[in-house]
Amino acid sequence: MALPNITVAPGLNAIEGGTFGEFIITLDAPAPTGGLIVKFAVAGSSTATANTDYTFGAGNNITSLTANTFTVAAGATTATIRVNAPIDGVFDPNETITLNLTDSVKYSPTSLFNAGNRPMSVTSADINRDGKVDLIVANGYDDITKQVGGVSILYGNGSEGYSSPSFIGNGLSGASAVAVFDFNGDGILDIVTTDSGRDVERNVGKVSVLLGTSTGGFSVSQILSAGPWLKSVAVGDFNGDSKSDLVVTSFDITAPSESPKISIFNIRPVGK
């Protein structure tokens, strides 16, 4: 969910030893659940000194205020920051301060979602093209229960919630890392996963490419061999041919004296 756009404008002027001044904060949509933390910086005239000539205080709908952040209460569309000008015994007329917004970050209470069996890695994308961000999770093989892993997709509802996981087999016994990209250029996102190989071939890991279909499903297109104990995967054009490649990392924990390895694959889906 997109964060609100925020503007700040001067309100009342502060009077030394008298009336509080204020900055007025305006949001174009209500602050989200958990509140909206906004970063700011202050600039002032050459004689305006923080904590001597002025101090800030939390006004309406400000739930927290630090030296460089303030938090707008959940659901609020306006808020104020108070400016106090204490008496300092120095004649310094027409001092000014400017409050500049620098960034905003939303922090929500932790939400827990069932992701599947032994989740190992996660990425996000609009996998079903409905304009909402989904979560794609790599689920590993369970050595104890012998349960096969794969990929689970949690479809976003656009309001910080997600569906129960939909499970997809990746042609392997499990998955240790996952990435999403349109590998065959059909406008539909595809999924690539790695498998550590620990349960089948302890010296060979596997990479599985799953092509997305127009009906929202996925089918295994290629399975590639790589080094043992695959840990991560990334997508990019590494050889400059304008086509997507894969890079995976591997490390054999049974041979710690060996250096970690990187494997690069030029992906050419079947039929392309």
Side-chain angles (χ1 to χ4, degrees):
M1 181 175 65
L3 296 177
N5 293 311
I6 308 169
T7 57
V8 59
L12 297 173
N13 289 326
I15 298 175
E16 186 171 306
T19 306
F20 286 113
E22 64 182 8
F23 288 104
I24 301 172
I25 312 299
T26 304
L27 289 69
D28 67 353
T33 302
L36 186 70
I37 296 181
V38 182
K39 298 179 183 178
F40 69 89
V42 179
S45 58
S46 58
T47 58
T49 304
N51 299 319
T52 300
D53 294 305
Y54 67 91
T55 60
F56 288 147
N60 293 334
N61 292 325
I62 297 296
T63 60
S64 176
L65 179 65
T66 72
N68 53 19
T69 67
F70 60 84
T71 303
V72 179
T77 56
T78 61
T80 57
I81 294 178
R82 296 188 307 178
V83 182
N84 178 36
I87 297 174
D88 59 5
V90 178
F91 180 70
D92 39 19
N94 301 320
E95 288 183 322
T96 61
I97 55 173
T98 303
L99 188 149
N100 297 309
L101 304 184
T102 58
D103 198 3
S104 63
V105 182
K106 182 178 77 67
Y107 294 89
S108 296
T110 299
S111 298
L112 301 178
F113 300 95
N114 179 29
N117 182 56
R118 292 181 64 86
M120 306 290 289
S121 175
V122 63
T123 189
S124 61
D126 181 10
I127 203 75
N128 59 351
R129 297 176 293 169
D130 65 352
K132 301 168 185 175
V133 176
D134 311 309
L135 301 178
I136 303 92
V137 182
N139 292 294
Y141 177 79
D142 194 321
D143 295 300
I144 298 175
T145 66
K146 308 303 179 186
Q147 182 176 347
V148 173
V151 177
S152 58
I153 300 177
L154 287 71
Y155 295 101
N157 62 14
S159 300
E160 305 176 36
Y162 293 90
S163 68
S164 298
S166 298
F167 296 98
I168 301 170
N170 65 344
L172 306 172
S173 58
S176 57
V178 63
V180 174
F181 196 77
D182 179 10
F183 291 103
N184 56 356
D186 63 355
I188 300 173
L189 290 175
D190 310 307
I191 298 174
V192 60
T193 68
T194 59
D195 178 52
S196 66
R198 71 186 71 181
D199 57 299
V200 181
E201 302 172 79
R202 293 187 178 274
N203 61 340
V204 178
K206 301 286 186 179
V207 178
S208 174
V209 179
L210 294 82
L211 296 183
T213 68
S214 59
T215 59
F218 292 87
S219 61
V220 176
S221 169
Q222 296 186 59
I223 294 181
L224 311 168
S225 296
W229 301 89
L230 302 179
K231 295 298 183 183
S232 63
V233 60
V235 181
D237 178 13
F238 299 107
N239 59 355
D241 65 354
S242 300
K243 298 179 180 179
S244 302
D245 308 311
L246 296 177
V247 58
V248 297
T249 61
S250 61
F251 177 66
D252 190 350
I253 64 173
T254 65
S257 61
E258 293 188 13
S259 299
K261 296 180 176 61
I262 294 176
S263 301
I264 298 177
F265 298 96
N266 305 121
I267 295 299
R268 303 293 179 267
V270 175
K272 296 294 177 179

